[in-house]
Amino acid sequence: MEKFEVDFYKEEDGSKPVGAFIRTLDLKLKAKVVADLHLLEEYGNMARAPLSKELDDGIFEVRTCEGNNIVRILYFFDAGRLIVVTNGFVKKQQKTPKSEILLAKTRRTDYFRRKEAGTYE
């Protein structure tokens, strides 16, 4: 089976918020998040809990746990086998905050708008 590709959402200035977030994590947690993103590339749309879960309207989360730390990386699928990761956070409450889901949706809308206009690189 052909692998999926994980791509980090890019702001208009070229910055990658998920990359910046991952760099803030301690070494063990960072390694686990990166390993889970590689697993997501392997499983793609077949990924299920505990690795991945659909949250709302085509927004999914990668679920990473290391000790007492819980990290979520939100993403969506694009055409072909492309997975676009939009935002990440350290989970401190039972449910994923609506603000994080809204941010993922906003970035998805921006991604497709810029892609259609030919300005997303």
Side-chain angles (χ1 to χ4, degrees):
M1 178 163 74
E2 190 179 334
K3 284 175 62 168
F4 282 71
E5 177 187 348
V6 168
D7 189 29
F8 288 31
Y9 167 83
K10 291 184 267 313
E11 298 281 3
E12 289 196 57
D13 66 4
S15 63
K16 298 178 181 180
V18 174
F21 167 72
I22 291 171
R23 285 190 296 275
T24 68
L25 301 173
D26 73 46
L27 190 60
K28 282 180 108 173
L29 193 53
K30 186 185 311 182
K32 185 82 165 76
V33 167
V34 170
D36 284 348
L37 290 174
H38 285 300
L39 282 174
L40 185 62
E41 286 182 322
E42 291 288 330
Y43 292 107
N45 58 356
M46 300 302 290
R48 300 290 183 268
L51 176 65
S52 176
K53 176 184 170 189
E54 183 169 12
L55 296 174
D56 183 50
D57 189 29
I59 299 295
F60 297 80
E61 66 179 2
V62 174
R63 304 155 63 101
T64 301
C65 296
E66 175 62 41
N68 292 329
N69 297 307
I70 301 171
V71 169
R72 298 293 188 251
I73 304 286
L74 277 55
Y75 67 94
F76 63 89
F77 291 95
D78 192 1
R81 304 180 76 75
L82 185 63
I83 298 167
V84 181
V85 295
T86 57
N87 51 307
F89 61 97
V90 175
K91 191 169 178 190
K92 297 187 184 296
Q93 57 198 52
Q94 192 67 16
K95 293 189 82 172
T96 297
K98 291 190 185 312
S99 60
E100 295 290 346
I101 297 170
L102 182 60
L103 178 57
K105 288 179 177 181
T106 300
R107 287 180 174 166
R108 177 180 61 189
T109 299
D110 177 64
Y111 168 86
F112 284 116
R113 177 188 59 79
R114 289 169 40 214
K115 183 179 174 192
E116 191 170 303
T119 59
Y120 189 88
E121 299 182 20

